[in-house]
Amino acid sequence: MPKLTIDGREIEVEKGTTVLEAAQRLGVHVPRYCYHPKLSIAGNCRMCLVEVEKAPKLLTACSTEVSEGMVVRTSTDKVKAARRDVLEYLLINHPLDCPICDQAGECGLQDYYMEHSRAKSRFPQEAKVRRQKRRVLGPHLVLDNERCILCTRCVRFCAEVTKTAELEVMERGDHSFIDLKEGKALDNGYTLNIADICPVGAWTSRDFRFKSRVWFLKRTPTLCLGCATGCLVEAHHNDNVLYRLVPRPNAETNTWLCDKGRMTYKAVSAGDRLSKGVVKNGLMELEPALREAATRIDEARGAAAVLGSPWLSVEDNAALALLARDAVKTPNFTFDFRAEAGIRDGILYNKDQAPNSAGALKVKAAAGGLSMQDFARKAAAGEFKLVVAEARAASLLKEELKAGGARLIVFATNRGDLPDGTHAALPYASYFEAPGTFVNFQGLERRAEPAVTAPDGVKPLWEMVGKLAAYSGTSLRLESAGDAVKGLNR
Ligand code: SF4
Ligand code: SF4
Ligand code: FES
């Protein structure tokens, strides 16, 4: 393993490590634009120039491999002057867009200019090369060619990660610009990562543009519930409004996020969000809706059933198990959600579109219950007069439930999720509003953490289940989500 010295500190790294990566391990940040740890090395922006003893010129740290006895200096006068020159060069044709640019506050050009340059431009404003602005490319992105510094991260992302190669650099010299290849559309399912990795404001998200300045955003680490991969995300929000999801890169699951997962936050404030109960298609205040649901459960006692859900947390499934065991007092319940799982597209998206099939199976292991096959058979044969379920799980069995004619009481966050024939629906707090434990397809247990608060009166599902049980005369003794899991072992 070669040993080298960076800014007077010795370090030993594996053969093949670049100077930039070795410096990073010592906590020395070498400025960079084109370098990205998950993309091939392009070495085109020259922002990472460093001095290497015995080398006649400055070298690019991102593309220079370490060698035994190398002596590297990252902040000599020569390096500092080179950084200033590179920035001046990159800014020559850059528009003065900062006040209206969405990237302001998280822009590589702004940040490095403040840190390494602050020089006045010697280039006349009227001589700047003008390029196309505000080009809508694909369902999620807008491209401003004038702001591009031609680092080619976007081109390499499409060539190397999604392997769809929609983008290329056209023309030469200061006429160069990023463009779509002829006949291609930019809709590969992962396009919003391009806005994340573009170091400037050339690619921006159509969804997020002009919604909020980034310095107002608060950040909550949580996870995506769009499928069984369970990618780690950061939810960005302000004043109880969610604005966007960005990846929290980690070694186990994800560097990136898929476009579908990114948009899952929108259901929280969608027009069909439920904050009241629904009975026979009409909205009803929460307490009367709970009373109605409890009355129907009491009527169906002996022929009522409870269906868990792979879209619910372990705790909320446990609460449903307690409802079945202690309040409805029925053996007719199931948490048997086996699904084919695994990465479907070679990148992130999972064959299992539900986030917690594995968590539901854990509840099955603790609570028992019917196999899914038996539950479905009994439902179709009309053995259940009433079924309590989570809306999307009920939709999985819609044919059987319809054939058996059971009355359906569902928990739902959005009206659009209600299956046909729902008798009553009760709202609950989404997992952007209440915490919960999920188990992804690899068996990793992860926590969803609340970033915003639920609409007035809307409670987490375990609490709604406790209220429903109380209305039908049973206390489930649920003071917290954790009580539901503990209750299973009582
Ligand atoms: S659009 Fe952004 S990511 Fe693509 S080359 Fe230009 S600066 Fe780099
Ligand atoms: S792959 Fe799945 S978990 Fe990851 S962002 Fe997409 S929907 Fe979410
Ligand atoms: S980061 Fe090294 S040349 Fe761009």
Side-chain angles (χ1 to χ4, degrees):
M1 295 226 297
K3 240 189 224 164
L4 71 158
T5 309
I6 301 177
D7 292 344
R9 290 156 69 196
E10 216 173 68
I11 184 170
E12 196 171 346
V13 290
E14 306 79 49
K15 201 168 173 284
T17 307
T18 63
V19 170
L20 186 145
E21 287 158 351
Q24 201 148 282
R25 285 196 212 164
L26 282 173
V28 175
H29 179 81
V30 177
R32 78 290 299 267
Y33 286 124
C34 65
Y35 169 81
H36 188 285
K38 296 289 177 184
L39 300 177
S40 62
I41 305 285
N44 62 25
C45 74
R46 323 310 284 176
M47 194 61 209
C48 64
L49 290 171
V50 292
E51 223 178 310
V52 177
E53 224 170 71
K54 296 197 190 111
K57 291 181 186 170
L58 298 181
L59 299 180
T60 48
C62 71
S63 61
T64 304
E65 286 187 11
V66 298
S67 59
E68 182 59 37
M70 204 179 217
V71 177
V72 180
R73 293 188 189 89
T74 70
S75 54
T76 61
D77 287 347
K78 215 167 151 189
V79 170
K80 286 179 185 165
R83 282 178 193 160
R84 270 196 302 276
D85 289 349
V86 169
L87 279 164
E88 184 177 17
Y89 172 73
L90 290 176
L91 285 163
I92 277 180
N93 287 313
H94 199 77
L96 296 172
D97 277 359
C98 297
I100 52 136
C101 178
D102 237 35
Q103 191 83 357
E106 54 184 7
C107 172
L109 271 180
Q110 279 188 340
D111 292 349
Y112 286 162
Y113 173 80
M114 296 307 284
E115 200 178 334
H116 302 290
S117 170
R118 300 199 185 208
K120 270 204 155 158
S121 173
R122 291 177 288 168
F123 198 72
Q125 167 78 19
E126 54 291 350
K128 279 180 188 280
V129 174
R130 306 305 306 266
R131 295 198 191 98
Q132 233 184 319
K133 298 182 81 66
R134 291 177 293 276
R135 300 169 65 193
V136 173
L137 289 186
H140 297 291
L141 294 174
V142 175
L143 174 63
D144 185 315
N145 283 115
E146 239 174 38
R147 295 178 188 160
C148 170
I149 58 167
L150 291 164
C151 72
T152 69
R153 278 184 179 187
C154 56
V155 177
R156 282 174 284 145
F157 177 85
C158 293
E160 296 164 16
V161 178
T162 57
K163 298 190 171 55
T164 41
E166 298 94 334
L167 299 174
E168 64 184 342
V169 181
M170 299 294 286
E171 303 291 350
R172 292 287 177 269
D174 65 2
H175 291 286
S176 305
F177 65 98
I178 298 293
D179 204 0
L180 263 185
K181 283 186 189 159
E182 214 177 312
K184 292 269 190 184
L186 194 54
D187 190 12
N188 57 40
Y190 290 86
T191 58
L192 281 164
N193 297 293
I194 296 172
D196 286 345
I197 62 174
C198 178
V200 300
W203 288 106
T204 49
S205 151
R206 290 174 72 182
D207 179 52
F208 179 67
R209 261 164 87 80
F210 308 129
K211 297 273 170 61
S212 170
R213 280 309 203 179
V214 295
W215 51 85
F216 293 131
L217 297 176
K218 296 164 192 78
R219 291 145 200 264
T220 302
T222 181
L223 71 144
C224 174
L225 303 181
C227 74
T229 303
C231 294
L232 296 185
V233 303
E234 213 172 59
H236 290 183
H237 54 97
N238 185 32
D239 278 344
N240 212 32
V241 177
L242 283 166
Y243 285 99
R244 64 176 178 182
L245 301 181
V246 298
R248 253 195 308 143
N250 60 100
E252 292 80 19
T253 46
N254 64 302
T255 298
W256 320 106
L257 290 183
C258 75
D259 292 341
K260 179 175 169 274
R262 294 239 194 199
M263 294 297 138
T264 51
Y265 82 91
K266 293 183 94 70
V268 169
S269 53
D272 70 342
R273 181 69 203 272
L274 279 177
S275 57
K276 292 186 172 168
V278 178
V279 174
K280 292 189 205 149
N281 280 326
L283 284 176
M284 189 183 267
E285 289 302 328
L286 205 50
E287 299 301 321
L290 277 163
R291 208 174 305 127
E292 163 70 17
T295 308
R296 298 297 158 224
I297 291 172
D298 290 342
E299 273 174 16
R301 211 164 281 258
V306 176
L307 176 65
S309 171
W311 280 276
L312 294 179
S313 67
V314 169
E315 295 84 354
D316 289 343
N317 271 308
L320 284 174
L322 288 185
L323 181 79
R325 189 187 74 187
D326 299 346
V328 183
K329 296 190 173 58
T330 174
N332 294 322
F333 60 89
T334 187
F335 295 89
D336 184 20
F337 291 93
R338 271 168 247 260
E340 195 197 343
I343 303 298
R344 192 169 73 183
D345 56 6
I347 307 173
L348 280 180
Y349 200 65
N350 211 285
K351 290 178 200 159
D352 182 1
Q353 294 188 28
N356 205 22
S357 302
L361 284 175
K362 278 197 164 186
V363 173
K364 174 178 159 47
L370 299 174
S371 69
M372 182 54 76
Q373 226 178 3
D374 285 347
F375 189 94
R377 184 181 44 75
K378 286 180 157 215
E383 289 184 33
F384 307 148
K385 281 204 190 114
L386 175 139
V387 174
V388 180
E390 182 273 336
R392 284 164 293 180
S395 295
L396 292 177
L397 291 185
K398 62 174 185 273
E399 300 304 334
E400 291 83 351
L401 291 169
K402 198 172 157 200
R407 187 173 259 157
L408 206 49
I409 310 272
V410 301
F411 291 97
T413 54
N414 292 74
R415 204 162 174 162
D417 292 336
L418 299 187
D420 288 346
T422 298
H423 174 76
L426 300 166
Y428 68 94
S430 78
Y431 296 107
F432 287 109
E433 298 156 334
T437 305
F438 290 78
V439 185
N440 85 345
F441 79 115
Q442 299 152 300
L444 296 172
E445 204 169 283
R446 292 174 158 180
R447 295 274 295 167
E449 294 294 345
V452 292
T453 54
D456 265 359
V458 176
K459 303 288 177 206
L461 189 129
W462 62 266
E463 215 174 321
M464 297 298 293
V465 167
K467 280 171 179 265
L468 184 60
Y471 271 107
S472 70
T474 308
S475 166
L476 296 180
R477 292 185 277 159
L478 296 178
E479 297 294 327
S480 70
D483 287 348
V485 180
K486 281 185 216 142
L488 278 187
N489 304 318
R490 272 203 299 266

